[in-house]
Amino acid sequence: MTLKTTLVAALLAATTAGMGLAEGHGGAVKVGMITTLSGGGAGLGIDVRDGFMLAVKQAGNDKLEVVIEDDQRKPDIAVQLADKMIQSEKVDVLTGIIWSNLAMAVVPAATAQGKFYLSPNAGPSALAGRGCHPNYFNVAWQNDNLHEAAGAYANEAGLKNSFILAPNYPAGQDALTGYKRFYEGDLAGEIYTKLGQTDYAAEIAQIRASGADSVFFFLPGGMGISFLKQYAASGVDLPVVGPAFSFDQGILQAVGDAALGVKNTSQWNKDLDNPTNAAFVESFQAEYGRLPSLYASQGFDTANLLLSAMAKADVADADAFRAALKEADFASTRGDFAFGPNHHPIQDIYIREVIQEGDVFTNKTLGAALTDHADAYAAECKM
C-alpha cells in the first residue's frame, strides 16, 4: 500500500504563540517526503510526518507544498519514489527517510541532481564524512551520537563488561561503533542481528552464558519491543542501556513494565525546559491525541528549519538557500541547535530513565551525558 498526500500548506495560522514562522520572502518550495507509513517501523515514519506537518500547519505558509509517499521500508521503493518526485513532481527538497539503508540508496543521487535533502532521522556515517554534500543537512543526529552517549554513561555507571547487539545494517553498525568509541570496559560479546528480527531467544541465551555485567542494544521499532519483552521474561537480570530508539514514546506503551528503570540516551525529551518544546508537546497532544516521540520532535524541527530558510532566501538561488539552512535560525525543541561543518548537529545528548506517569510509560531526563557534542566524521568532510 502506498499512501500519497498532497498538501498545500495554507491550512491555519499558528495555533501556539511564538511557534509559527513568517511567510517566506522567496518563491514557492515543493517538498517530497518519503517515509515509512506501513509495515514494520511505520510508527517512526508516522511520527516524523505528523511532527513535520504540525509545524507546516502552524506556519500557515501558502508557498510551501508537501507531497508524502510511503517507502514501505524498502530501498527499491524509496529509489522509485525519489526518481518520481525529482523527475515528475519537480520537488525542490526531499526529506522523511527513517532507515539508513534507504538513505544511502536515495540521498547521494538526489543531492547530485541539485536537490536539497533534509534528514529528520537517518544519519549514516558515510554521509557525514567523505560522502558529505553541500545540499545534505541532517537535523536529527549522526547515527553514532546517541550510542556514544550510552558508552559514556556506561563508564559513569561503573559497567565493565557489556554485551552489545544491533541489527546488521548501516545504522546498526554505526551504533556499535559509537558505543565502543566512548565505552572503556570490556566486551562480553558483540553480535549483529537480522534487520526486522522478532525472535531473540538465541541472543538472550548468549547473553546469559557470556559473563556480562550489562547489555547495550540498538533495536529500533518492533525489534526493540520484541527483544525487551523476551529479555524481561527470560530472567536475565542484567542492567540494560540503550539509545532512545528502543525506549521511545510509541514503543514504551507496547513494552510496558519491562522497560521501567532502563537508562537510555536522547537529544530530546518531552520535559526539556524551553518554551518551544513546552508549546510543541502541548500542541502535538492537542492535534493528534498522543504524546510526541523523539521522531515527532525531529520532524517538527526539520520543517521549522526549512521554513526559516524560506523566510530568508529563494530555493531557486541554491547558494543563498544553502546559507540560510546552514544558519539554522529557528527555535528548536532541543533548545540550542547548530550545524557543524559537515551539516550535522552540534547538540547536547541526555540520559533518560523510563518511568510511569499514571497509565502512561514515558521518560524523564536525568541530566546531560555529552554537551555540545559533534560527530566523529566531520574532519573527513571536504566541503
Side-chain angles (χ1 to χ4, degrees), residues 329-369:
D329 186 16
F330 71 102
S332 170
T333 59
R334 286 162 261 183
D336 292 341
F337 179 96
F339 284 119
N342 60 346
H343 296 172
H344 284 66
I346 299 173
Q347 60 191 342
D348 295 345
I349 304 176
Y350 304 92
I351 293 291
R352 313 186 304 180
E353 180 179 359
V354 180
I355 62 169
Q356 188 170 0
E357 295 178 345
D359 295 331
V360 177
F361 295 92
T362 188
N363 288 283
K364 70 174 180 180
T365 302
L366 300 181

Side-chain angles (χ1 to χ4, degrees), residues 64-304:
L64 177 59
E65 180 181 355
V66 184
V67 180
I68 302 173
E69 294 273 13
D70 178 13
D71 60 37
Q72 305 169 54
R73 210 176 77 178
K74 298 176 181 177
D76 58 332
I77 298 295
V79 169
Q80 292 170 22
L81 291 172
D83 287 344
K84 183 178 74 169
M85 286 185 171
I86 293 170
Q87 303 302 326
S88 301
E89 299 280 3
K90 306 296 184 184
V91 300
D92 305 294
V93 177
L94 286 163
T95 190
I97 291 176
I98 300 297
W99 307 92
S100 289
N101 54 333
L102 274 66
M104 290 305 303
V106 168
V107 172
T111 54
Q113 294 176 73
K115 303 302 177 182
F116 289 96
Y117 190 91
L118 308 182
S119 179
N121 196 67
S125 55
L127 298 180
R130 295 178 183 177
C132 68
H133 192 281
N135 286 356
Y136 174 74
F137 290 81
N138 190 295
V139 196
W141 22 255
Q142 191 279 315
N143 281 349
D144 300 25
N145 291 165
L146 271 58
H147 315 291
E148 291 168 337
Y153 168 75
N155 298 331
E156 293 178 9
L159 304 179
K160 303 293 187 184
N161 195 27
S162 288
F163 191 106
I164 65 176
L165 65 157
N168 191 16
Y169 79 120
Q173 294 152 16
D174 287 346
L176 298 193
T177 297
Y179 185 78
K180 291 185 291 184
R181 182 175 290 121
F182 277 69
Y183 175 61
E184 296 170 355
D186 297 323
L187 293 180
E190 177 180 357
I191 55 176
Y192 287 102
T193 65
K194 183 179 178 181
L195 185 63
Q197 182 173 323
T198 57
D199 184 356
Y200 294 95
E203 288 79 7
I204 292 170
Q206 291 181 59
I207 293 169
R208 188 192 303 276
S210 70
D213 69 355
S214 54
V215 176
F216 168 80
F217 76 93
F218 163 63
L219 294 165
M223 293 178 284
I225 295 170
S226 296
F227 176 81
L228 273 172
K229 286 185 171 181
Q230 292 166 38
Y231 183 81
S234 73
V236 177
D237 190 23
L238 299 175
V240 172
V241 180
F245 318 120
S246 296
F247 304 94
D248 205 55
Q249 199 58 54
I251 290 175
L252 289 178
Q253 307 321 303
V255 174
D257 289 347
L260 283 173
V262 171
K263 307 300 192 300
N264 62 94
T265 52
S266 179
Q267 88 283 17
W268 176 86
N269 198 45
K270 68 181 179 64
D271 61 3
L272 289 186
D273 187 15
N274 67 74
T276 298
N277 193 48
F280 162 67
V281 172
E282 181 180 358
S283 60
F284 189 94
Q285 282 188 277
E287 184 74 17
Y288 300 112
R290 68 185 191 274
L291 284 171
S293 69
L294 172 74
Y295 306 101
S297 75
Q298 292 166 183
F300 187 81
D301 279 356
T302 299
N304 278 321

